């Protein structure tokens, strides 16, 4: 499935900032068409790691993704509150 590949590209250490931005926005778009596509319990720790990135574009894209994902399954992403608010 495409969303699995996009998730792998997003969390890959070899992906450039531009690729991470685009994959986060792609995953957001995919999750809007199918809200249950991304498992929050499994993917939230990866988002937490990505939120440590210093690139503003990556962070903005991740926050858009997180906002979209949490709007459907808020409790799955509560563990990320310390990463977002500091």
């Amino acid at each position: 499935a495409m969303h699995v590949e996009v998730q792998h590209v997003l969390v890959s250490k070899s992906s450039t900032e531009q690729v991470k931005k685009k994959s986060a926005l792609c995953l957001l778009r995919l999750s809007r068409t199918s809200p249950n596509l991304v498992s929050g319990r499994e993917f939230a720790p990866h988002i937490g790691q990505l939120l440590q990135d210093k690139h503003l574009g990556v962070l903005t894209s991740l926050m858009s993704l997180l906002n979209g994902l949490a709007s459907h399954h808020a409790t799955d992403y509560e563990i990320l509150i310390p990463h977002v608010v500091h």
Side-chain angles (χ1 to χ4, degrees), residues 27-70:
L27 195 55
L28 172 62
R29 195 158 196 177
L30 289 170
S31 70
R32 284 181 178 160
T33 58
S34 301
N36 294 324
L37 205 58
V38 178
S39 170
R41 289 186 188 93
E42 294 173 13
F43 196 58
H46 295 292
I47 294 178
Q49 285 183 324
L50 289 167
L51 286 171
Q52 305 302 314
D53 200 303
K54 302 294 183 201
H55 193 274
L56 182 61
V58 173
L59 292 173
T60 304
S61 299
L62 281 171
M63 288 306 298
S64 296
L65 173 61
L66 181 57
N67 190 32
L69 294 173

Side-chain angles (χ1 to χ4, degrees), residues 8 13 18 21 26 28 30 39 48 54 66-67 70 75 81:
H8 287 305
K13 295 196 185 292
Q18 186 70 17
K21 286 188 326 186
C26 178
L28 172 62
L30 289 170
S39 170
K54 302 294 183 201
L66 181 57
N67 190 32
T75 55
I81 292 172

